[in-house]
Amino acid sequence: MEHYDRAETWDRETIERVQLVRLKNTLRQALRSPFYKDLLGRAGVSPENMRNLADLRQIPFTSKEHLRAAYPYGLVSVAKDELVRFHASSGTTGTPVVVCHTQDDLDCWADLMARCMHMVGIRRGDVFQNIAGYGLFTGGLGIHSGAERLGCLTIPAGTGNTRRQVKLLRDMRVTALHIIPSYALYIGNALLEEGEDPRSLPPRIALVGAEPHTDEARRRIEDLLGLKAYNSYGLSEMNGPGVAFECLEQNGLHVWEDAYIAEIVDPDSGEPVPDGEQGELVMTTLCRRGMPIIRFRTRDLTCFLPGDCPCGRKHRRLARIAGRVDDMLIIKGCNIYPMQVEQILMSFREVGENYLIVLENEAGMDRMRVQVEVRSEYFVDDMRALTALQRKIANRLRDEILVTPKVDLVQQNSLPRAEGKAKRVEDRRHAGI
Ligand code: ADP
Ligand code: ZN
């Protein structure tokens, strides 16, 4: 295995030994913040209690609500003049959460990110275009710093302006890029519609992440743009991107256990679930001084993939994120995740890249409507063909989610598109119309 740094090659024993040492240090550091002084004090937990990694479970969870209540500086564990940057989550699920970093924290993050990129074959000399928001959102500066650390010629392209993005990709002979999956599909299709071949674009590697997407969507990105797409997972509370990343095997994301402790728990009981079983990811920082966060409930659903990865890395693998705990829709008593719907939709070649799940209430009954863009070549005048397609999609969805949704077929590019992360669900149940 070619590696970026030593920690990437550690065996299980080394990883776990280092984790315990770093956990104790992290607790010591965290106790300097008003928030953890209070939380750990009340729970009676001190670094000395941690005799092995399982002792971690004595520590209470930290939730997004905690972070919001401690806004803005309640979790800071260093003198303020040591802080050099702050970021915030994009606020997909409410008020943003702020995270402050020291210079060491940023260096460590850049190295983790560089390790991810190196793992999928990006090297010094590559030309890297970062198509991500450069504001408080961590996908901008986070990925940017990793790319520079690796020695790539890094283009801070930002989001939007598809034409300019494409021009940069071509003119600069970009070899690798970062892009959110919904925008990758959009750019590819925009080119197709203009009669251009998106596969002729120079990049051979894409990092895709920041929003839930299925393996089907990934394959579409790869086919459409003629490159390899690797799943990138992270969240602002844990720095941002660089937390877990797919290797060349494209089968699960290695979570960097020298820098984090990952647990997967039952979202209701908080108890650990066995490998292979889905639960909520809980994360602890091990290399952060400015603002350590311990046992953070990410709300993201995944599982540990059992067994070793053929690539040889011993950092455990997370399955593709199935969705957020909060994403679960309950319709007529059935639990439904938007990614189940996406998986079915993407398996129809007639279906385009954009879709929207609309929740409605009709005479007191909740109902689900799925609006689906149909590719231009299939959006024909033949009513019978379209009705048959509509029925086929509704039936396949019913088999998967056990509820029969109403399916609307709409023209390509007619559904609203978000600037950043795609919005897949619109709840009109309490709209009062
Ligand atoms: P927000 O919670 O406001 O979206 P962030 O910008 O920090 O804040 O985004 C982190 C979240 O984005 C994660 O908790 C997860 O839900 C989602 N996410 C990030 N990367 C991926 C990925 N590769 N697959 C699925 N979801 C992802
Ligand atoms: Zn691997």
Side-chain angles (χ1 to χ4, degrees):
M1 174 212 317
E2 264 192 80
H3 58 274
Y4 173 76
D5 56 21
R6 291 294 298 279
E8 190 180 345
T9 66
W10 284 349
D11 57 19
R12 286 308 307 170
E13 203 240 305
T14 311
I15 290 174
E16 285 167 23
R17 188 162 37 79
V18 173
Q19 280 188 319
L20 184 58
V21 174
R22 292 188 175 170
L23 172 63
K24 288 185 193 171
N25 288 340
T26 297
L27 283 179
R28 245 172 243 126
Q29 186 65 22
L31 280 165
R32 299 180 187 190
S33 74
F35 172 79
Y36 277 117
K37 192 161 182 254
D38 178 57
L39 188 80
L40 300 178
R42 274 188 289 129
V45 178
S46 74
E48 290 65 47
N49 295 137
M50 300 293 118
R51 280 151 313 168
N52 53 53
L53 285 174
D55 286 332
L56 178 71
R57 289 190 217 135
Q58 299 170 18
I59 307 176
F61 293 118
T62 297
S63 67
K64 235 181 167 78
E65 289 67 42
H66 282 130
L67 299 193
R68 286 195 184 117
Y71 175 89
Y73 291 124
L75 269 82
V76 169
S77 304
V78 292
K80 286 240 191 63
D81 63 2
E82 282 199 60
L83 298 173
V84 296
R85 182 165 341 140
F86 93 86
H87 275 287
S89 72
S90 42
T92 312
T93 55
T95 333
V97 162
V98 166
V99 179
C100 301
H101 301 275
T102 66
Q103 187 57 53
D104 286 347
D105 295 341
L106 292 182
D107 283 337
C108 173
W109 178 16
D111 275 324
L112 287 173
M113 198 54 237
R115 188 197 286 173
C116 296
M117 296 172 63
H118 183 273
M119 177 161 69
V120 296
I122 302 175
R123 294 289 181 274
R124 183 188 182 85
D126 269 304
V127 183
F128 183 83
Q129 186 161 327
N130 190 18
I131 307 181
Y134 271 73
L136 295 173
F137 176 56
T138 53
L141 283 170
I143 299 235
H144 184 100
S145 309
E148 284 189 347
R149 178 67 51 103
L150 198 54
C152 298
L153 170 54
T154 309
I155 308 175
T159 52
N161 200 340
T162 303
R163 198 168 291 279
R164 195 193 50 175
Q165 299 283 2
V166 170
K167 183 169 165 47
L168 280 170
L169 289 170
R170 289 219 174 96
D171 293 354
M172 305 306 291
R173 288 187 281 287
V174 171
T175 52
L177 77 160
H178 167 233
I179 186 166
I180 62 173
S182 49
Y183 192 49
L185 290 166
Y186 174 80
I187 287 196
N189 279 306
L191 282 177
L192 275 184
E193 301 234 318
E194 287 170 19
E196 292 187 55
D197 179 12
R199 297 178 65 93
S200 70
L201 292 174
R204 59 177 209 287
I205 297 173
L207 323 181
V208 297
E211 64 184 7
H213 60 290
T214 54
D215 200 42
E216 286 74 10
R218 182 248 294 275
R219 297 294 167 207
R220 279 188 176 213
I221 294 170
E222 294 191 327
D223 288 347
L224 192 62
L225 301 178
L227 43 66
K228 282 275 173 202
Y230 298 96
N231 194 352
S232 159
Y233 170 79
L235 62 164
S236 312
E237 293 83 352
M238 294 292 123
N239 295 344
V243 173
F245 210 88
E246 267 182 350
C247 64
L248 294 172
E249 301 291 328
Q250 293 187 310
N251 180 21
L253 299 89
H254 290 285
V255 55
W256 298 129
E257 293 179 284
D258 55 315
Y260 301 97
I261 295 178
E263 304 169 77
I264 296 182
V265 304
D266 179 310
D268 298 322
S269 69
E271 290 301 314
V273 302
D275 285 3
E277 208 169 283
Q278 185 167 293
E280 179 183 348
L281 182 65
V282 172
M283 296 290 292
T284 299
T285 61
L286 291 179
C287 294
R288 215 159 64 184
R289 284 184 58 251
M291 195 172 143
I293 300 185
I294 301 158
R295 300 200 85 202
F296 179 67
R297 302 281 300 243
T298 65
R299 316 296 286 155
D300 289 326
L301 294 167
T302 181
C303 66
F304 283 123
L305 294 182
D308 282 339
C309 183
C311 78
R313 290 176 187 81
K314 302 295 183 218
H315 297 260
R316 279 181 299 175
R317 284 171 303 161
L318 302 176
R320 178 180 290 283
I321 305 293
R324 301 192 195 215
V325 179
D326 334 72
D327 281 347
M328 191 176 77
L329 312 168
I330 304 179
I331 304 288
K332 296 184 179 149
C334 295
N335 300 349
I336 302 166
Y337 285 98
M339 285 304 110
Q340 292 177 282
V341 173
E342 175 174 305
Q343 198 182 350
I344 299 295
L345 295 180
M346 294 287 147
S347 69
F348 283 88
R349 69 171 184 287
E350 297 93 338
V351 168
E353 271 62 48
N354 208 358
Y355 65 93
L356 182 68
I357 300 169
V358 180
L359 306 179
E360 299 170 322
N361 189 287
E362 208 182 59
M365 287 279 277
D366 283 348
R367 200 176 61 179
M368 184 168 160
R369 178 186 291 274
V370 182
Q371 299 184 317
V372 186
E373 284 188 5
V374 174
R375 286 186 191 290
S376 309
E377 64 264 40
Y378 296 101
F379 205 76
V380 286
D381 290 333
D382 181 353
M383 270 302 281
R384 257 180 316 179
L386 284 181
T387 313
L389 176 63
Q390 199 173 23
R391 201 166 303 137
K392 233 167 34 180
I393 294 174
N395 287 343
R396 286 280 305 283
L397 284 171
R398 184 204 52 216
D399 292 345
E400 170 69 25
I401 61 180
L402 308 177
V403 169
T404 310
K406 180 132 190 15
V407 173
D408 298 342
L409 301 182
V410 302
Q411 220 163 339
Q412 197 143 356
N413 294 324
S414 64
L415 291 175
R417 235 174 40 81
E419 253 292 312
K421 303 188 186 207
K423 191 166 176 290
R424 299 306 191 187
V425 181
E426 194 174 302
D427 195 344
R428 294 185 194 152
R429 283 178 294 186
H430 309 291
I433 40 168

